[in-house]
């Protein structure tokens, strides 16, 4: 056995060990709830800067999708050597076939820039980016409560302005080096946004009112993936449980495939998301979807098969999460707890004031597992004043009844609200089973 083969085998052993660590992580309900609520809220608001927050448990849940032996290519081994101590991050992204193939094609930009003060540092180790997505790999050393990750992250362009992007991250994981933690930031470019010429990644402690922060600035090499975009026209229509979905085109990038669809405004149901969605090639390989953004016109993101173009591609799903449009609006009496309108089975259990906010507790039939939580687009009081609902949390069971879920919705600055209020549902955990498939034309 050559020295190079021994090196690869040793690397595989380390990666599989880290994989086992992630697979055995506990999955607290509260953390999973915060993850899902943040994702849905970010997708709903569509403001100039969107973000969602993924907990460490989200990453642990994702890693469960990754099975089988880890095989190491020379390019992959080179990637790990460029980012010393980040085998755990590599284990997490191994479940994303497209991202790993992009790394195998040497599309990783090594950064290695650090900001250090007061004995603590943040280092951006490397990035991989194209016109659709950027993944930022970083490590933290000597930071306070790194595992709890009590930090906010800002992404700034060369002019110091917030990037108009959605991005997600999880709590960092400990490495084999003492007091060093690692993670990645996953960025979506949409609505015409693109990678900046220069990027600053800023970490700010949430529990500090002062100006303490860590800022890492570096140029972005966009030439690594320049011109590597392929557009595949589709222009076909799906009918799922009577709802029309126009599939317009697929855009293939090194880091992901973006499928643009349009939900017919004349549909009787509001479709929140398509269930168990995947692209399947002629070999039976499934390319998963992670998230989507938009309203009736929506972009759905899949793993990329850019460096392994299939001969045949089929879009498959088991149905969708949705609600009759007539059930999206409801009137709620905060005193009597009576609900007029809304979906059947929705009940108000009570409310309480926390600081300036109003917390309203609902009972929803069924489970939130793998679906959409109850969330609201806006709330209007009797005087016509609108309020934001920035998030929801949930737990199983109404008392001892596990067939219901308790959802707590926070109405921002709604502490003084009284009487009847109007609420508009933006997502709801109603699943419609209606399997579908659609052939996607692929040009080899």
């Amino acid at each position: 056995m050559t020295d190079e083969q021994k090196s690869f085998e040793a690397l595989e052993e380390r990666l599989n060990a880290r994989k086992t660590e992630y697979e055995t992580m506990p999955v607290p309900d509260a953390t999973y709830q915060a993850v899902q609520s943040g994702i849905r809220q970010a997708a709903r608001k569509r403001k100039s800067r969107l973000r969602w927050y993924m907990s460490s448990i989200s990453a642990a849940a994702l890693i469960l999708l990754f099975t089988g032996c880890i095989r190491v290519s020379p390019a992959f081994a080179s990637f790990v050597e460029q980012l010393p101590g980040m085998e755990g991050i590599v284990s997490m992204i191994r479940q994303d076939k497209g991202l790993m193939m992009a790394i195998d094609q040497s599309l990783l930009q090594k950064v290695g820039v650090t900001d250090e003060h007061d004995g603590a540092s943040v280092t951006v180790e490397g990035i991989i980016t194209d016109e659709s997505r950027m993944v930022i790999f970083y490590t933290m050393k000597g930071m306070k409560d790194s595992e709890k990750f009590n930090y906010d992250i800002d992404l700034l362009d060369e002019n110091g302005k917030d990037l108009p992007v959605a991005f997600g991250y999880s709590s960092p994981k400990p490495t084999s080096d003492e007091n060093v933690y690692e993670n990645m930031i996953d960025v979506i470019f949409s609505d015409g946004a693109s990678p900046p010429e220069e990027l600053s990644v800023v970490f700010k402690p949430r529990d500090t009112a002062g100006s303490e922060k860590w800022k890492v600035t570096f140029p972005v090499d966009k030439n690594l993936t320049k011109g590597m975009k392929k557009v595949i026209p589709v222009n076909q229509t799906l009918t799922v449980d009577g709802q029309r979905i126009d599939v317009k085109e697929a855009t293939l990038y090194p880091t992901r495939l973006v499928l643009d669809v349009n939900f017919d405004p004349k549909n009787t149901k509001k479709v929140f998301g398509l269930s168990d969605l995947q692209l399947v090639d002629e070999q039976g390989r499934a390319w998963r979807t992670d998230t989507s953004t938009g309203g009736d016109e929506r972009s759905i993101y899949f793993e990329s098969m850019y460096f392994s173009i299939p001969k045949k591609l089929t879009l498959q799903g088991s149905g969708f999460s949705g609600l009759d449009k007539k059930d999206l609006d409801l009137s709620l009496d905060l005193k009597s707890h009576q609900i007029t309108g809304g979906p059947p089975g929705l009940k108000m259990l009570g409310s309480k004031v926390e600081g300036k906010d109003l917390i309203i507790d609902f009972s929803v039939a069924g489970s939130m597992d793998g679906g959409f939580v109850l969330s609201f687009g806006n709330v209007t009081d009797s005087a016509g004043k609108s309020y934001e609902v920035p998030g929801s949390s949930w737990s199983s069971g109404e008392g001892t009844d596990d067939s219901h879920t308790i959802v707590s919705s926070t109405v921002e600055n709604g502490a003084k609200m009284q009487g009847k209020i109007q609420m508009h549902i933006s997502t709801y955990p109603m699943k419609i089973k209606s399997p579908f498939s659609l052939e996607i034309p692929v040009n080899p």
Side-chain angles (χ1 to χ4, degrees):
M1 182 181 295
T2 67
D3 291 340
E4 183 179 40
Q5 288 173 327
K6 291 179 180 179
S7 176
F8 282 7
E9 286 196 357
L11 176 57
E12 287 176 358
E13 290 179 4
R14 297 204 309 272
L15 292 175
N16 277 306
R18 295 307 300 274
K19 167 181 174 286
T20 301
E21 292 177 18
Y22 284 104
E23 286 177 337
T24 55
M25 280 183 178
V27 185
D29 287 342
T31 309
Y32 178 76
Q33 294 161 9
V35 173
Q36 294 299 315
S37 176
I39 291 175
R40 305 304 178 203
Q41 192 72 13
R44 177 179 60 80
K45 283 194 174 183
R46 306 286 292 164
K47 289 187 177 179
S48 59
R49 180 173 55 143
L50 307 178
R51 68 177 70 195
W52 68 86
Y53 303 99
M54 298 176 68
S55 72
S56 60
I57 244 18
S58 174
L62 284 176
I63 204 65
L64 296 177
L65 299 173
F66 164 46
T67 59
C69 181
I70 297 174
R71 299 306 303 171
V72 180
S73 71
F76 180 35
S78 175
F79 163 71
V80 177
E81 289 169 358
Q82 289 182 63
L83 305 181
M86 295 193 70
E87 294 95 334
I89 291 296
V90 173
S91 294
M92 283 197 291
I93 63 175
R94 284 293 291 186
Q95 55 83 29
D96 187 325
K97 294 188 291 292
L99 193 58
M100 290 315 304
M101 283 192 288
I103 290 172
D104 280 347
Q105 295 294 319
S106 301
L107 297 183
L108 175 79
Q109 176 189 341
K110 186 178 179 180
V111 177
V113 177
T114 301
D115 184 20
E116 180 178 7
H117 53 84
D118 300 327
S121 67
V122 173
T123 302
V124 173
E125 305 285 359
I127 65 170
I128 183 168
T129 188
D130 54 31
E131 297 175 56
S132 174
R133 181 187 188 189
M134 177 187 289
V135 181
I136 305 166
F137 302 96
Y138 70 89
T139 55
M140 307 174 74
K141 184 176 182 180
M143 303 286 280
K144 181 181 178 182
D145 295 329
S146 295
E147 204 160 3
K148 296 180 181 178
F149 201 70
N150 192 27
Y151 297 87
D152 285 322
I153 294 178
D154 289 332
L155 301 179
L156 310 177
D157 65 15
E158 59 272 15
N159 298 313
K161 295 183 179 179
D162 291 319
L163 290 182
V165 297
F167 62 98
Y169 51 88
S170 58
S171 297
K173 318 296 181 299
T175 69
S176 55
D177 295 332
E178 185 178 358
N179 208 21
V180 177
Y181 289 75
E182 63 191 6
N183 208 344
M184 63 185 188
I185 305 167
D186 204 340
V187 183
I188 292 176
F189 298 111
S190 59
D191 297 333
S194 62
E197 297 295 330
E198 184 179 83
L199 178 66
S200 293
V201 184
V202 182
F203 291 76
K204 301 180 297 185
R206 294 179 191 146
D207 57 359
T208 302
S211 58
E212 184 182 27
K213 64 182 180 182
W214 287 260
K215 183 177 180 180
V216 179
T217 302
F218 54 91
V220 177
D221 184 358
K222 295 189 283 188
N223 289 325
L224 285 172
T225 55
K226 185 177 181 180
M228 297 178 68
K229 179 174 92 169
K230 299 178 181 179
V231 179
I232 304 172
V234 181
N235 299 320
Q236 298 185 59
T237 299
L238 275 169
T239 301
V240 185
D241 192 49
Q243 312 306 304
R244 284 175 52 93
I245 305 168
D246 296 321
V247 184
K248 298 186 292 185
E249 65 180 24
T251 307
L252 193 53
Y253 301 91
T255 64
R256 64 162 37 113
L257 181 145
V258 182
L259 189 67
D260 290 324
V261 302
N262 181 59
F263 295 88
D264 193 330
K266 296 179 181 178
N267 286 340
T268 59
K269 289 182 170 65
K270 175 68 175 179
V271 178
F272 305 128
L274 300 172
S275 304
D276 303 316
L277 199 60
Q278 60 184 5
L279 290 167
V280 181
D281 67 15
E282 74 281 356
Q283 300 180 41
R285 292 182 299 177
W287 308 83
R288 296 183 303 271
T289 179
D290 50 11
T291 187
S292 64
T293 60
D296 285 340
E297 292 190 7
R298 193 171 307 181
S299 294
I300 305 173
Y301 304 102
F302 292 85
E303 295 173 285
S304 174
M305 65 285 294
Y306 189 96
F307 298 104
S308 180
I309 302 291
K311 296 179 180 178
K312 181 182 178 182
L313 206 55
T314 304
L315 179 68
Q316 297 180 353
S318 63
F320 62 89
S321 294
L323 197 63
D324 286 341
K325 290 182 177 179
K326 62 180 178 61
D327 293 332
L328 294 174
D329 293 290
L330 59 91
S331 175
L332 175 64
D333 191 316
L334 292 172
K335 184 176 181 179
S336 68
H337 299 177
Q338 182 177 354
I339 295 177
T340 303
L346 179 65
K347 296 189 296 183
M348 177 183 170
L349 301 178
S351 63
K352 61 182 177 181
V353 172
E354 289 189 0
K356 296 181 179 180
D357 301 332
L358 177 68
I359 314 296
I360 306 177
D361 295 327
F362 295 92
S363 171
V364 181
S367 169
M368 302 290 158
D369 294 341
F372 285 79
V373 66
L374 167 66
S375 65
F376 296 95
N378 58 67
V379 177
T380 307
D381 63 16
S382 56
K385 182 180 178 181
S386 293
Y387 299 81
E388 293 285 344
V389 187
S392 299
S393 62
W394 67 92
S395 59
S396 298
E398 181 183 345
T400 59
D401 183 1
D402 290 334
S403 65
H404 289 74
T405 300
I406 310 303
V407 179
S408 299
S409 297
T410 300
V411 182
E412 198 170 53
N413 297 316
K416 297 182 180 180
M417 296 179 69
Q418 295 181 350
K420 290 186 177 181
I421 61 175
Q422 305 295 319
M423 308 185 76
H424 179 79
I425 294 174
S426 58
T427 60
Y428 194 79
M430 180 72 74
K431 291 185 178 181
I432 290 90
K433 290 289 185 181
S434 183
F436 60 87
S437 65
L438 178 71
E439 297 295 324
I440 303 294
V442 178
N443 298 317

